[in-house]
């Protein structure tokens, strides 16, 4: 059985997909870009964008009834691998102990020309 997760505390989907889906005890959060869901604004700079993307992920997880501590896998997409250290420092604010498995890749372009996108899989 699957359940679609939706919250106004993360950006609305900009295409034919769900913000997150719960299935068989897992929560699959779609990639979150750094859009402030209240204002629609995108912050300036890689650290601010990474923090907003992570806040969006955390808010989706909360809407699904789970937390960052239950994340088992993330994927981080960054526009410039030279920003890896800065993104990693922000990421470490959210995952302190027993960090999830992770992929981090540089990509040519992201939606709305943002600098970072984060997706996550968590258990309930």
């Amino acid at each position: 059985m699957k359940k679609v997760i939706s919250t106004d505390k993360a950006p609305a989907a900009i295409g034919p997909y769900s913000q997150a889906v719960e299935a068989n005890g897992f929560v699959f959060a779609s990639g979150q870009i750094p859009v402030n869901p209240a204002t629609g604004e995108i912050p300036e700079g890689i650290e601010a964008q990474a923090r907003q993307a992570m806040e969006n992920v955390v808010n989706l997880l909360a809407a699904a009834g789970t937390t960052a501590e239950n994340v088992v896998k993330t994927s981080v997409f960054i526009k410039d691998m030279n920003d890896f250290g800065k993104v990693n420092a922000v990421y470490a604010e959210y995952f302190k102990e027993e960090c999830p498995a992770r992929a981090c890749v540089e990509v040519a372009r992201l939606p709305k020309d943002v600098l970072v996108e984060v997706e996550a899989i968590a258990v309930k």
Side-chain angles (χ1 to χ4, degrees):
M1 181 168 99
K2 77 175 188 178
K3 175 182 174 185
V4 171
I5 307 298
S6 181
T7 180
D8 61 1
K9 295 186 181 194
I14 56 175
Y17 62 90
S18 299
Q19 287 175 304
V21 174
E22 180 182 341
N24 297 324
F26 287 93
V27 176
F28 301 86
S30 292
Q32 295 299 300
I33 61 173
V35 173
N36 180 315
T39 65
E41 295 177 359
I42 297 170
E44 293 289 324
I46 189 62
E47 289 102 339
Q49 287 197 18
R51 192 165 284 107
Q52 183 64 61
M54 288 301 302
E55 284 297 315
N56 293 342
V57 168
V58 167
N59 289 338
L60 271 178
L61 296 173
T66 192
T67 65
E69 288 88 23
N70 292 324
V71 172
V72 295
K73 172 74 169 79
T74 62
S75 296
V76 180
F77 308 96
I78 56 178
K79 175 117 187 198
D80 185 348
M81 194 55 79
N82 291 318
D83 289 331
F84 178 82
K86 293 175 183 177
V87 171
N88 212 36
V90 172
Y91 183 92
E93 295 172 15
Y94 294 86
F95 301 113
K96 296 178 174 46
E97 295 179 23
E98 297 183 4
C99 297
R102 177 180 80 180
C104 182
V105 296
E106 179 181 274
V107 295
R109 194 167 180 204
L110 290 164
K112 298 188 180 278
D113 291 317
V114 299
L115 304 174
V116 62
E117 180 175 349
V118 180
E119 67 179 20
I121 301 170
V123 293
K124 291 251 337 208

